[in-house]
Amino acid sequence: MMYMWEHPSNSQVKQLKNKYKELYIQLEPIVNAWDPIGLIEGGAPKDEYDCISVQLISMLNKGRSQNDIYEFIIHELDDHFGMGIDSISSEYMERFIKKHKDFSANLVKWYTSQKI
C-alpha cells in the first residue's frame, strides 16, 4: 500500500498508469505544460513527471482538496527532485507559490470536468 508522499517505485508507477490509463493520457500533457522544474523544456522525456502524475490522479480520485494537492506538489518537488521551497530565492518565492497553487486549482477543475 502506497501512502501519501511515499514515492512510488517504477513498478507502482506502471501499475497506476495502467489503472488510470484514460485520465493519465489526458493528464500527462497538462503536467508537462506545467513543467514544474523545467525538465521537459530542457529536453527530458515526456514521462519524466509520471511519478507525480499518477499520484495526482490517485489523490484526485480520493477527493483530496486543492490545498492537499499543493502541499503534495511542494513536498514532491523537494523530496524527489531536490527543488523545494527552501531552494527558491525570496525574489521568486511569490511566483513559485502562485505557479503551484494555480496548477493545483486548475488540476481540481480539470478533474471535476472529467467526472461530469
Side-chain angles (χ1 to χ4, degrees):
M1 171 82 181
M2 187 176 51
Y3 296 98
M4 189 167 154
W5 297 344
E6 179 181 313
H7 196 76
S9 67
N10 287 340
S11 65
Q12 286 173 317
V13 169
K14 285 180 185 175
Q15 288 172 344
L16 290 168
K17 277 174 72 171
N18 243 356
K19 180 178 180 180
Y20 301 123
K21 188 175 184 173
E22 294 302 315
L23 287 172
Y24 172 81
I25 289 168
Q26 296 173 53
L27 182 62
E28 183 183 55
I30 295 168
V31 170
N32 287 346
W34 166 54
D35 198 10
I37 58 174
L39 296 174
I40 301 300
E41 182 181 339
K46 70 178 191 162
D47 65 354
E48 188 65 37
Y49 296 119
D50 279 2
C51 57
I52 291 177
S53 297
V54 296
Q55 291 181 87
L56 289 172
I57 292 171
S58 182
M59 291 179 73
L60 289 164
N61 275 336
K62 292 175 182 168
R64 298 295 182 127
S65 72
Q66 173 183 327
N67 192 59
D68 288 344
I69 290 169
Y70 168 76
E71 288 184 13
F72 160 75
I73 288 167
I74 296 303
H75 179 273
E76 189 70 5
L77 292 178
D78 183 37
D79 188 57
H80 185 69
F81 293 100
M83 296 288 292
I85 205 161
D86 294 339
S87 69
I88 307 302
S89 67
S90 58
E91 65 184 298
Y92 298 110
M93 184 65 67
E94 190 175 320
R95 193 177 335 163
F96 178 86
I97 291 169
K98 181 177 178 357
K99 175 180 181 173
H100 302 308
K101 283 193 175 197
D102 287 351
F103 176 76
S104 300
N106 291 334
L107 191 65
V108 170
K109 286 178 194 165
W110 166 79
Y111 182 77
T112 302
S113 75
Q114 301 305 304
K115 304 304 275 183
I116 294 172

